[in-house]
Amino acid sequence: MLELQRVSAHYGPIQALVEVDLVVRAGEIVTLIGANGAGKSTLMTTLFGTPRASSGRILLEGEDITALPPHRIARRGIALVPEGRRVFAKMSVYENLLLGATPLEGAHVEENLQRVFSLFPVLETRRTQRAGTLSGGEQQMLAIGRALMSEPRLLLLDEPSLGLAPLVIRTIFRTIVALNREHGLTILLVEQNARQALKIAHRGYVLQNGRIVLEGSGAALLADPQVRAAYLDAVS
Amino acid sequence: MGYALQQLINGLTLGAMYGLIAIGYTMVYGIIGMINFAHGEIYMIGAFLSVLTYVLCTALGIGPTPLVLLAMLFVSVAFTALYGWAVERIAYRPLRGAPRLAPLISAIGMSIFLQNYVQLTQGARIKSVPPLWQGGVTLWSADDFRVTFGWAQLTVVVVTLIVMAGFAWMITRTSFGRQQRACEQDPKMAALLGIDVDRTISLTFILGAALAAVAGMMAVLQYGVIDFSIGFIAGIKAFTAAVLGGIGSIPGAMLGGLLIGLVEAFWSAYLSPEYKDVATFSILVLVLLFRPTGLLGKPDVEKV
Ligand SMILES: Nc1ncnc2c1ncn2[C@@H]1O[C@H](COP(=O)(O)OP(=O)(O)OP(=O)(O)O)[C@@H](O)[C@H]1O
Ligand SMILES: [Mg+2]
């Protein structure tokens, strides 16, 4: 589904990713864990060409997307729920969802709206409300719903639980699992909440200072003493 | 009473034109965060193109008047839009991401260039069009004073209302309008949703220029005379209108245009016509000092 081959990325002189190799296979949930500033968000946005990979190749469903402009990449069945949600605050919930459907150019809008509303009923009741006035949890649901409006085959989630109450986090995680198990959606998940992420993930990668330092199945990483010391015990 | 009513009509007409130009300033500011100082020149080019079309039509013996008017509108809007598009591609796009001063200087350079270009190719003399139709509706008359809504003025106001309504519909209801607003709020996120931000910016310049062209043609109908320098003052006034309404706000630009038009008409009528420009600029200074967000602009309050 997705393959990164020795991908590096820079912000000016700062190197944020160092020759990252990473694979996400169809049907998997893959999680990426790492400390603040490790480069997790950068990895996700580099897939969309912002910043552009300074070396290496990015393959999506076998095709090289490394040099495509961001909006063209977004039209290839890949959708991002970005860090901080980034809903369009001045627009209604409905308009935000319609914008998510941009890659389909008007196809299946009604069906996809209904799917999103059945996943997150609260969005339907808030349909005309300005997104900026939603609660944090509702905004997160909107950001996920917006991404789903384009019928992606690969969904990228960047810290969907950040700043949310435990109850809401549970809803979000349950939704992620359901999307994967029931709808066959392939998911790449970045989480601070490493324990919960590794529990639901098939496989995981550990990123440190822009490098992949460890990879393995979710269970194996959960049991790994290094991972426990650095990312699990400290957090919980 | 009659005199005041006449000034109201004059102010409305003037305000309609300022409002049309102001929308271009406000939209471009909304999407790329800079003042397009060449926008006044775009308006001037719109006016010239409609005069040229008029001259061409008469030379070819094309009539009657409504047909000529449509031709003027069509040609002026189409070619002015092309200029608007070119200005963005040449003067602004290469400087995207550069320090803010760079595009500002480039904008002023573009403005000087366009003025000189028109002066060189069209000459420095005033161009005039004979009044296309005389008379109007008499609204009120007493003794020897009559209040009239001239046909030209009426056309200006009606055309402006139609254009603005259509434009408001496009921005608030269509998928292009939605994408345009998305690019204003968060261009990076918009791109991640598959929106072509560069194309949206181009279209924004094109639309702003098209509206300025309509204003340019309205000026020709209303005044009958233009020269290469009309873009400067009109541009600054429309800019003031945009700031007064709240830069970035489209309804604000329309409202600001109307207010500036009315202030100018009443100031000329009751105080001194020589200082009417001073009135506008005083408003600009006062707004910037005391309410920089304008009447309808509000600082963003967002939950993150
Ligand atoms: N726009 C930017 N300009 C310059 N440097 C940046 C930019 N964005 C990120 N960086 C730098 O790149 C590195 C990786 O940042 P990134 O946001 O990818 O980390 P992260 O793993 O997502 O962290 P967090 O857990 O805090 O979200 C950091 O050192 C950061 O300072
Ligand atoms: Mg991050």
Side-chain angles (χ1 to χ4, degrees):
Chain A
M1 172 65 79
L2 176 72
E3 187 175 353
L4 278 74
Q5 300 174 344
R6 302 168 67 83
V7 170
S8 296
H10 293 77
Y11 292 105
I14 304 167
Q15 182 159 16
L17 294 178
V18 187
E19 305 203 333
V20 169
D21 283 303
L22 181 146
V23 176
V24 181
R25 299 190 195 93
E28 279 188 322
I29 296 182
V30 172
T31 186
L32 191 62
I33 59 179
N36 290 122
K40 306 180 298 293
S41 301
T42 304
L43 192 148
M44 294 220 159
T45 52
T46 299
L47 297 178
F48 285 89
T50 53
R52 200 162 284 295
S54 40
S55 66
R57 293 210 308 161
I58 302 169
L59 304 177
L60 181 64
E61 295 179 318
E63 287 186 56
D64 191 335
I65 59 164
T66 323
L68 289 183
H71 70 274
R72 297 275 293 282
I73 296 172
R75 288 165 178 260
R76 290 184 162 239
I78 171 172
L80 171 68
V81 180
E83 185 170 30
R85 319 186 249 276
R86 291 173 84 161
V87 295
F88 297 103
K90 295 186 220 166
M91 293 196 220
S92 68
V93 166
Y94 178 63
E95 284 193 303
N96 269 275
L97 291 173
L98 287 183
L99 281 166
T102 306
L104 301 183
E105 293 179 346
H108 312 170
V109 172
E110 265 317 307
E111 295 106 286
N112 289 328
L113 262 181
Q114 289 318 314
R115 264 194 332 145
V116 169
F117 287 154
S118 62
L119 216 51
F120 301 117
V122 64
L123 293 182
E124 186 157 27
T125 64
R126 300 298 163 89
R127 200 180 158 112
T128 55
Q129 189 172 326
R130 275 161 55 114
T133 62
L134 295 175
S135 76
E138 290 161 350
Q139 287 193 11
Q140 189 63 59
M141 294 177 202
L142 178 57
I144 297 174
R146 180 179 64 183
L148 293 175
M149 286 298 290
S150 65
E151 297 179 2
R153 293 180 292 283
L154 172 62
L155 181 66
L156 312 173
L157 295 149
D158 194 347
E159 305 206 22
S161 73
L162 192 69
L164 302 183
L167 197 68
V168 185
I169 297 182
R170 250 199 312 279
T171 314
I172 302 266
F173 269 89
R174 211 176 306 126
T175 310
I176 295 172
V177 173
L179 285 170
N180 174 256
R181 308 285 195 269
E182 288 158 33
H183 302 273
L185 189 59
T186 310
I187 290 171
L188 177 58
L189 171 67
V190 163
E191 259 303 328
Q192 289 275 309
N193 207 325
R195 184 185 302 279
Q196 225 157 344
L198 287 171
K199 270 188 201 152
I200 64 166
H202 299 97
R203 293 188 304 112
Y205 290 84
V206 179
L207 198 62
Q208 208 173 69
N209 296 326
R211 290 171 208 271
I212 300 281
V213 291
L214 210 58
E215 65 171 288
S217 71
L221 289 179
L222 265 177
D224 188 282
Q226 252 179 296
V227 173
R228 295 188 72 91
Y231 305 106
L232 299 178
D233 296 339
V235 173
S236 50
Chain B
M1 156 67 195
Y3 190 58
L5 190 60
Q6 186 65 62
Q7 294 322 313
L8 188 68
I9 292 169
N10 296 346
L12 276 179
T13 315
L14 204 55
M17 291 189 279
Y18 290 154
L20 282 173
I21 310 173
I23 292 174
Y25 280 109
T26 229
M27 281 184 80
V28 164
Y29 182 84
I31 202 159
I32 60 173
M34 62 159 288
I35 302 299
N36 175 11
F37 277 107
H39 191 56
E41 266 52 67
I42 292 291
Y43 152 81
M44 176 269 292
I45 286 174
F48 263 88
L49 282 164
S50 61
V51 170
L52 288 180
T53 313
Y54 172 81
V55 171
L56 207 67
C57 283
T58 35
L60 296 174
I62 296 174
T65 310
L67 197 68
V68 176
L69 285 175
L70 273 180
M72 285 164 75
L73 187 66
F74 183 78
V75 172
S76 165
V77 163
F79 285 90
T80 308
L82 205 63
Y83 276 97
W85 173 82
V87 163
E88 193 266 335
R89 288 307 286 261
I90 295 167
Y92 304 134
R93 187 170 300 186
L95 294 173
R96 209 157 317 139
R100 292 175 73 84
L101 196 57
L104 196 69
I105 293 169
S106 165
I108 293 168
M110 199 56 168
S111 161
I112 296 170
F113 167 77
L114 288 174
Q115 254 192 59
N116 284 284
Y117 158 74
V118 172
Q119 184 179 0
L120 278 175
T121 53
Q122 299 298 320
R125 299 232 310 267
I126 284 175
K127 294 256 178 294
S128 64
V129 170
L132 290 174
W133 62 94
Q134 316 263 323
V137 207
T138 302
L139 294 181
W140 190 77
S141 68
D143 306 331
D144 52 353
F145 191 80
R146 295 200 317 172
V147 179
T148 53
F149 211 143
W151 293 125
Q153 286 181 314
L154 204 57
T155 312
V156 170
V157 172
V158 169
V159 169
T160 302
L161 283 179
I162 293 172
V163 168
M164 281 187 179
F167 178 77
W169 173 80
M170 190 185 64
I171 290 295
T172 55
R173 298 270 179 268
T174 68
S175 118
F176 166 73
R178 207 155 40 233
Q179 296 184 6
Q180 208 276 342
R181 284 177 289 138
C183 290
E184 277 191 5
Q185 285 179 44
D186 188 345
K188 287 212 178 104
M189 190 63 228
L192 294 177
L193 294 176
I195 296 167
D196 187 341
V197 179
D198 279 344
R199 181 170 153 267
T200 309
I201 291 175
S202 279
L203 283 169
T204 300
F205 273 82
I206 286 173
L207 278 171
L211 295 180
V214 175
M217 173 176 166
M218 298 299 131
V220 170
L221 291 186
Q222 170 76 0
Y223 305 121
V225 290
I226 57 167
D227 70 37
F228 70 94
S229 70
I230 59 167
F232 180 68
I233 288 287
I236 293 189
K237 286 186 181 161
F239 169 65
T240 304
V243 172
L244 173 62
I247 191 89
S249 156
I250 293 171
M254 299 179 185
L255 176 69
L258 195 66
L259 291 176
I260 295 289
L262 288 172
V263 165
E264 195 174 314
F266 280 97
W267 185 291
S268 311
Y270 290 104
L271 298 165
S272 66
E274 299 83 29
Y275 289 111
K276 67 179 166 43
D277 295 347
V278 174
T280 312
F281 302 141
S282 313
I283 292 177
L284 180 59
V285 171
L286 290 175
V287 173
L288 287 176
L289 278 178
F290 296 108
R291 198 179 158 83
T293 53
L295 296 173
L296 301 187
K298 31 189 173 293
D300 295 341
V301 186
E302 289 172 20
K303 241 186 239 177
V304 179

